[in-house]
Amino acid sequence: MAENLLADLMGSLLIVAPAAFGIVFAYWLYKKLCKISLFRQSREDDEALLRRMEMADAGEAEADSYQKLRQIYRDIQAGAKAFLAAEYRMCLAFLAVFGVAMIFFVAKVESGWDFKIGTLTAFSFFVGGITSMVSGYIGMMIAVFTNARCTMCATQTPDSLAWKESFNSAFRGGAVMGFALSGLGIVVMYFLMCMYVSAFDVAVEAVKLFECIAGFGLGGSAIAMFGRVGGGIYTKAADVGADLAGKVVSGIPEDDPRNPATIADNVGDNVGDVAGMGSDLFGSFGEATCAALVIAAQSHDLVSAGWDTLIFPLYISSVGILVCIATSFVATDFRPVRSEASIEEVLKTQLTLSTVGMTVAMFPVCAMFMPQEFYLGPKSFASACVEGVSTSKCVTMGPMSAFCCIAAGLWGGLIIGFVTEYYTSHSYSPVREVARSTETGAATNIIYGLALGYKSAILPVSLLSVVVYLSFYLGDMYGVALAALGMLSNLSTCLAIDVYGPICDNAGGIAEMAEMPETVREKTDALDAAGNTTAAIGKGFAIGSACLVGLALFGAFVTRAGLNLASVSLVSPLIFASLIFGAMIPYWFSAMTMKSVGQAANEMVKEVARQFREIPGLLEGTPGHAPPDHAKCIAISTDASLREMIAPAVLVMTTPLLFGIFLGVDAVAGLLAGAISSSIQMAISASNTGGAWDNAKKYVEKGAVVINGVVQRKGSELHKAAVVGDTVGDPLKDTSGPALNIVMKLMAILSLVFADFFRSINDGAGLFDLPRN
């Protein structure tokens, strides 16, 4: 008894201690960022500035730049807080209403009513939603806190110090979110599980326990839907509107202080690319863990092996935090950025090191907690896996099989990220081809960009197919869930690298709006260019993990709904028809989100044109003109995003519920298969198309395209064609594409949570009671 207690205590420490350490480490990084002042760094600097002010007007301009920087920082912070407050009020209302409905729907099971399950699942749903909101808020506020500090670091001398400190500030800002989110998610989920253990006999009711915990993943994913769609509409309404009104219509530079939409654009970078991404990946973590736990709970052998084996999926994520902490010092201390050329190299080295570190660390963890043989079903391995029986549910060499599944997901995510970089970075030929295609106008730019996006899906989808086959072969759907967790195991590092991008983007915008010296803008622009590449890597990682998470949840649903190979056959007319319908859902969803961006951008362009027309001297930049009305543009983006995010969310959440209630569990299985397979193709092609157009524009702006001996730069016809492509691609790469991650996961987790309710209706045949296989 004492030995079992000690083993359980050690297991709990291995989960809770790394998670708590991750939160403490995030706070330590935050305190380092607090040391960066938004004022001049020393008395000597102040005296030097005063001498320059006495000698020339340049000093006055410099002093004015720092004052503008602080004002812009406050404006962005206020706009971001206002949007999240409005969005989260709606989210809280949704959690309350849907949570109450869940109590009754989930309580309806085959044997009657079980309100204990309904209540506990609804509570998990609420906790998951709140945790997702907290994660998004932390990420957005730290990104807003860091952006101006990144700009300030770029003003330091010598140049090598400016490069190092500006990069470190942005990377540490992203790392605060990464470690806080990972640690918070693990701690909350584990304590929720510990609370629920007292309500169930784990030895016989493990399935019920983890079905209740699955509500945690549903809550996180539901909030992620609002964060991704609402934030995506906000950021691209502001971005597209600012680009069209500024660069295309009025011919002024990006982030020009005269443009009234620039503050809204910079706010959007935070609410969409940071808060939205944070909620998205938090949902992926929660859903992948829930899928693995639900599948494991239905294995007699894994339940019999003990609590530590049952909750093995949590060990993957907790060990990942320790590895990411250890490797984070490479980028900031051991091998820091010293020049523009080393930025991308340092970021990619960081991601590679965390992948290698996780590969090494997971082998002993698998050996410690996984049994040598187990059967993924209600029977024991000895009785189910007799001689002559061959099935993927019979797992031999358990530790090695689990390790291979995790490693497949881990390295698959890294390769998908680098493939995404190849197709979206102007360092490689695909994007350079798109840039050169602008010679003959915007139309050929659009054609080349679309072709690149479609082509870029080939390698990632092929790789995901290999990962799915290998992990299923080694461990059935439990293996797929472990592969998803493997891909998410270095989540802290991936989030740090991904959030680095929007922070640098904001830093560049602030430098331009504050009219900082050209040397500062050169550094922030270079950091921003690297950030675009890392953002593309992050999107590829998020899409790949979403696919595996969706498949793992699909497997958990199929297992929980009592379906077998015969009942989910493609030759079934109901399943085949449902599959075709499910494959259409991503197109319907994308149409909604893209049209919403277009409508909001249209309003934004009209508002900016009105201000240029009615505020004397604004467009011309006449000294002493009245300031632009940024608040009006922020209000347009906020209102549009809150209004337009409802319909896509309703589509995704009601479709599986209606299919399950009226058509039954077979139809839901077909629906999910179609939606997942279609979403993964669309998400990759849309995100990479938009990313390629963005970096093709930047390649032209660098002066790297030469036509007939003439260097093409900003203002040229080539650049105008590139701007059109970039503008068209904005909603693809930052709204519709990333939001399809949620489509794959949310439909699947909803189906899993409501599986017992579906089965209670005509034994799973639905109200229409159509013939089944």
Side-chain angles (χ1 to χ4, degrees):
M1 183 70 179
E3 290 180 0
N4 290 338
L5 186 62
L6 181 61
D8 287 346
L9 180 62
M10 291 300 294
S12 297
L13 282 175
L14 189 55
I15 291 173
V16 176
F21 188 45
I23 295 172
V24 172
F25 185 69
Y27 181 74
W28 179 74
L29 292 174
Y30 167 71
K31 296 303 290 183
K32 288 185 77 70
L33 290 172
C34 289
K35 295 177 181 178
I36 302 172
S37 174
L38 295 183
F39 293 84
R40 301 296 292 176
Q41 296 294 312
S42 67
R43 183 178 180 85
E44 288 76 14
D45 287 333
D46 288 336
E47 292 173 352
L49 178 59
L50 287 171
R51 284 195 297 271
R52 288 198 298 273
M53 289 174 66
E54 291 171 357
M55 295 174 62
D57 291 339
E60 296 179 16
E62 185 174 352
D64 188 50
S65 291
Y66 288 102
Q67 186 175 356
K68 285 180 181 178
L69 177 143
R70 292 189 288 273
Q71 183 58 51
I72 293 165
Y73 163 74
R74 288 190 289 267
D75 289 343
I76 294 173
Q77 190 175 54
K81 283 183 177 179
F83 171 76
L84 270 199
E87 183 182 50
Y88 282 177
R89 280 194 295 269
M90 293 183 65
C91 290
L92 283 172
F94 164 77
L95 289 176
V97 173
F98 196 77
V100 171
M102 279 182 67
I103 294 175
F104 296 95
F105 284 110
V106 177
K108 183 70 170 68
V109 296
E110 287 183 280
S111 58
W113 293 88
D114 190 338
F115 282 102
K116 180 174 77 171
I117 290 179
T119 303
L120 292 178
T121 305
F123 182 73
S124 296
F125 168 76
F126 188 79
V127 172
I130 294 295
T131 309
S132 180
M133 290 165 63
V134 170
S135 299
Y137 181 81
I138 290 173
M140 190 205 69
M141 294 314 298
I142 194 63
V144 171
F145 181 80
T146 309
N147 54 22
R149 285 164 173 80
C150 179
T151 307
M152 283 296 298
C153 289
T155 65
Q156 297 183 25
T157 54
D159 274 359
S160 60
L161 180 64
W163 284 113
K164 177 185 175 182
E165 293 303 322
S166 56
F167 173 87
N168 284 359
S169 63
F171 184 80
R172 284 170 176 154
V176 171
M177 179 183 186
F179 288 107
L181 183 150
S182 300
L184 188 65
I186 293 173
V187 167
V188 173
M189 176 177 268
Y190 186 68
F191 278 107
L192 195 65
M193 288 164 56
C194 292
M195 286 172 53
Y196 283 15
V197 162
S198 61
F200 298 95
D201 181 357
V202 179
V204 295
E205 294 182 303
V207 173
K208 291 183 178 180
L209 166 64
F210 290 117
E211 280 185 344
C212 293
I213 295 295
F216 181 85
L218 175 57
S221 190
I223 296 303
M225 168 60 75
F226 292 114
R228 262 302 192 192
V229 175
I233 292 172
Y234 184 108
T235 182
K236 290 303 108 177
D239 193 3
V240 173
D243 285 353
L244 288 175
K247 290 187 289 187
V248 177
V249 177
S250 304
I252 59 178
E254 187 174 6
D255 293 319
D256 191 289
R258 292 171 289 175
N259 192 333
T262 50
I263 295 293
D265 184 9
N266 282 277
V267 170
D269 290 335
N270 296 291
V271 299
D273 294 339
V274 178
M277 172 65 84
S279 295
D280 180 2
L281 289 175
F282 170 81
S284 291
F285 154 76
E287 289 155 329
T289 307
C290 290
L293 292 172
V294 169
I295 296 171
Q298 297 177 77
S299 166
H300 171 272
D301 291 330
L302 292 180
V303 173
S304 300
W307 179 250
D308 287 340
T309 298
L310 198 55
I311 63 170
F312 171 73
L314 282 173
Y315 293 119
I316 302 172
S317 302
S318 63
V319 171
I321 292 178
L322 295 179
V323 171
C324 291
I325 289 175
T327 58
S328 68
F329 292 100
V330 174
T332 56
D333 297 279
F334 300 139
R335 196 182 176 188
V337 168
R338 297 292 187 185
S339 64
E340 178 180 353
S342 62
I343 300 173
E344 286 190 28
E345 180 186 346
V346 168
L347 288 169
K348 288 188 285 189
T349 299
Q350 185 68 30
L351 192 57
T352 304
L353 283 176
S354 64
T355 303
V356 172
M358 271 304 297
T359 306
V360 174
M362 281 316 301
F363 188 80
V365 176
C366 292
M368 190 182 304
F369 294 109
M370 293 303 293
Q372 192 64 31
E373 297 176 334
F374 56 92
Y375 176 68
L376 292 165
K379 299 179 181 179
S380 67
F381 182 88
S383 60
C385 304
V386 297
E387 189 175 350
V389 175
S390 178
T391 171
S392 57
K393 292 183 179 294
C394 295
V395 180
T396 57
M397 298 178 63
M400 180 57 71
S401 296
F403 171 75
C404 289
C405 292
I406 295 167
L410 187 61
W411 285 93
L414 179 69
I415 296 170
I416 288 172
F418 287 160
V419 169
T420 304
E421 181 209 9
Y422 173 75
Y423 280 104
T424 56
S425 171
H426 58 54
S427 299
Y428 305 101
S429 60
V431 170
R432 294 183 177 187
E433 286 182 3
V434 175
R436 285 191 290 269
S437 73
T438 56
E439 179 184 1
T440 49
T444 47
N445 183 30
I446 299 294
I447 293 169
Y448 269 70
L450 289 173
L452 179 148
Y454 297 146
K455 188 177 180 181
S456 70
I458 297 172
L459 284 176
V461 171
S462 300
L463 185 60
L464 284 170
S465 301
V466 171
V467 171
V468 169
Y469 179 83
L470 177 65
S471 55
F472 191 93
Y473 178 80
L474 292 173
D476 203 74
M477 279 300 180
Y478 186 63
V480 176
L482 292 182
L485 284 166
M487 194 173 284
L488 291 164
S489 60
N490 55 355
L491 177 61
S492 302
T493 294
C494 290
L495 267 173
I497 291 173
D498 195 68
V499 174
Y500 158 89
I503 290 174
C504 292
D505 191 1
N506 262 204
I510 290 172
E512 185 161 341
M513 284 187 285
E515 299 177 284
M516 302 290 283
E518 191 64 31
T519 55
V520 175
R521 278 180 272 182
E522 286 174 2
K523 293 181 180 65
T524 55
D525 286 348
L527 293 168
D528 180 24
N532 283 331
T533 301
T534 60
I537 293 174
K539 287 186 177 73
F541 166 81
I543 293 167
S545 63
C547 175
L548 290 182
V549 170
L551 287 172
L553 291 166
F554 172 75
F557 167 76
V558 168
T559 305
R560 192 67 202 106
L563 299 172
N564 52 44
L565 288 176
S567 60
V568 290
S569 170
L570 278 178
V571 298
S572 164
L574 178 60
I575 290 181
F576 192 70
S578 300
L579 187 148
I580 294 174
F581 188 91
M584 175 273 301
I585 293 294
Y587 292 87
W588 190 355
F589 177 86
S590 298
M592 286 181 167
T593 53
M594 291 193 69
K595 186 177 180 182
S596 297
V597 171
Q599 289 174 333
N602 195 27
E603 291 181 49
M604 188 72 73
V605 171
K606 291 179 180 178
E607 171 58 25
V608 172
R610 181 195 67 78
Q611 293 195 35
F612 281 154
R613 185 173 61 251
E614 296 181 5
I615 299 178
L618 176 60
L619 179 59
E620 296 80 8
T622 305
H625 67 74
D629 185 359
H630 297 298
K632 180 64 177 176
C633 294
I634 291 174
I636 289 173
S637 276
T638 301
D639 294 344
S641 61
L642 298 179
R643 181 180 67 247
E644 298 293 336
M645 73 180 183
I646 296 173
V650 169
L651 169 68
V652 173
M653 297 190 71
T654 58
T655 303
L657 295 178
L658 294 175
F659 264 63
I661 292 169
F662 291 102
L663 300 175
V665 292
D666 291 6
V668 174
L671 176 77
L672 295 180
I676 293 170
S677 59
S678 179
S679 292
I680 184 65
Q681 326 287 335
M682 280 199 72
I684 292 174
S685 63
S687 296
N688 289 352
T689 293
W693 278 326
D694 186 3
N695 281 327
K697 178 202 69 175
K698 286 181 166 58
Y699 190 63
V700 173
E701 290 175 346
K702 282 181 64 177
V705 178
V706 180
I707 304 296
N708 296 326
V710 179
V711 177
Q712 306 295 316
R713 298 186 183 275
K714 288 184 179 181
S716 66
E717 291 302 314
L718 242 77
H719 182 248
K720 291 177 182 177
V723 167
V724 172
D726 175 39
T727 308
V728 172
D730 275 336
L732 287 173
K733 71 181 176 69
D734 290 323
T735 307
S736 296
L740 287 171
N741 300 348
I742 318 293
V743 174
M744 290 184 260
K745 300 180 295 183
L746 183 53
M747 292 178 69
I749 189 72
L750 262 170
S751 303
L752 172 61
V753 170
F754 286 86
D756 280 346
F757 172 62
F758 297 157
R759 291 181 66 184
S760 70
I761 304 172
N762 287 330
D763 194 27
L767 293 176
F768 290 168
D769 200 13
L770 296 176
R772 304 172 69 186
N773 270 9

